[in-house]
Amino acid sequence: MAKIGVLALQGDFAEHIAVLHRLATDCREVRLPGHLEGLDGLIIPGGESTTIARLLDVYDIREPLKRKVREGMSVWGTCAGMILLARKLVEDRPQPMELMDIEVQRNAYGRQVDSFEADIPIAALGVAPFHCIFIRAPKIKHLGPGVEVLGKLTEGGVVAIQQGKLLATAFHPELTEDTRFHEYFLSIVAGQSHDPYPGPD
Ligand code: GLN
């Protein structure tokens, strides 16, 4: 059975762990480089990306984490986690890990709508739309050619993406009862995720 870690430096890691327990997944909290040992997948939760980035460096886990990804570990970043996976941020801080070919702007929805919810169709999860909770969410400003779009807001903003074994969502599936996104991540870890754009060969 796949072993999944949840980066537990700051943010809502406990909510992700709770969903993984509901899915009877073998999972553990990750705080130190040694906790990455033997993991097949890692979730980077929502929270405060500047704090998580600082703690990545304090605990010397940034480089070991990037090495594990190069060796094939899957990663899913939610909200602050997506910010940390980016190649580039609009802002100077924090220093992202440059693992996904996206440019991201933090807190990009402005004060009025800094938190909102939307039901978004995500073909990779099946027919029923997914209830997406956005909390001071980041916006994807630029997508590289190898990045697949899994979900968009009706006005067109991309909010869920996949690049090979890497997944990122601007919203928080761990705050809903719907476990489909976690199951989708587990299928990526197992190498069984289907092409989100099934089309002619
Ligand atoms: N605004 C936060 C940041 O910049 C992200 C918010 C979240 O993870 N819900 O890190």
Side-chain angles (χ1 to χ4, degrees):
M1 188 202 254
K3 233 190 206 354
I4 308 296
V6 181
L7 191 67
L9 299 172
Q10 190 267 341
D12 73 340
F13 54 87
E15 285 79 357
H16 277 291
I17 295 268
V19 180
L20 292 172
H21 281 153
R22 280 175 60 197
L23 294 172
T25 306
D26 183 3
C27 61
R28 75 160 79 110
E29 295 181 0
V30 172
R31 293 193 176 80
L32 297 169
H35 298 160
L36 292 166
E37 214 50 56
L39 290 185
D40 304 296
L42 178 76
I43 297 177
I44 304 180
E48 187 51 47
S49 56
T50 48
T51 307
I52 298 174
R54 199 169 60 235
L55 294 173
L56 278 175
D57 295 326
V58 167
Y59 291 104
D60 276 329
I61 196 171
R62 180 188 288 264
E63 286 311 317
L65 195 164
K66 291 175 73 165
R67 197 178 321 125
K68 282 289 290 183
V69 171
R70 286 196 295 272
E71 289 167 7
M73 183 178 73
S74 301
V75 182
W76 172 22
T78 59
C79 202
M82 181 173 95
I83 294 168
L84 291 164
L85 287 175
R87 178 178 56 76
K88 188 175 187 311
L89 302 184
V90 170
E91 298 77 15
D92 299 334
R93 266 175 11 114
Q95 168 73 43
M97 286 191 285
E98 302 171 16
L99 289 168
M100 294 186 87
D101 193 6
I102 50 172
E103 182 175 352
V104 169
Q105 182 179 12
R106 298 176 57 212
N107 304 325
Y109 290 92
R111 285 242 178 94
Q112 307 275 321
V113 286
D114 67 1
S115 297
F116 62 98
E117 303 187 12
D119 289 320
I120 299 181
I122 295 183
L125 303 184
V127 179
F130 197 87
H131 188 68
C132 301
I133 300 175
F134 295 85
I135 304 168
R136 297 179 58 233
K139 260 188 196 163
I140 298 172
K141 304 299 279 187
H142 177 77
L143 286 173
V147 181
E148 293 159 313
V149 174
L150 300 182
K152 289 177 175 187
L153 293 167
T154 37
E155 49 283 29
V158 173
V159 293
I161 52 168
Q162 182 175 346
Q163 184 176 0
K165 297 188 90 174
L166 305 178
L167 181 67
T169 53
F171 52 88
H172 291 271
E174 73 283 7
L175 300 182
T176 68
E177 294 296 301
D178 192 338
T179 57
R180 283 181 296 159
F181 238 110
H182 288 77
E183 291 171 71
Y184 185 63
F185 179 59
L186 295 177
S187 79
I188 293 175
V189 172
Q192 294 160 353
S193 81
H194 27 252
D195 182 351
Y197 280 128
D201 289 331

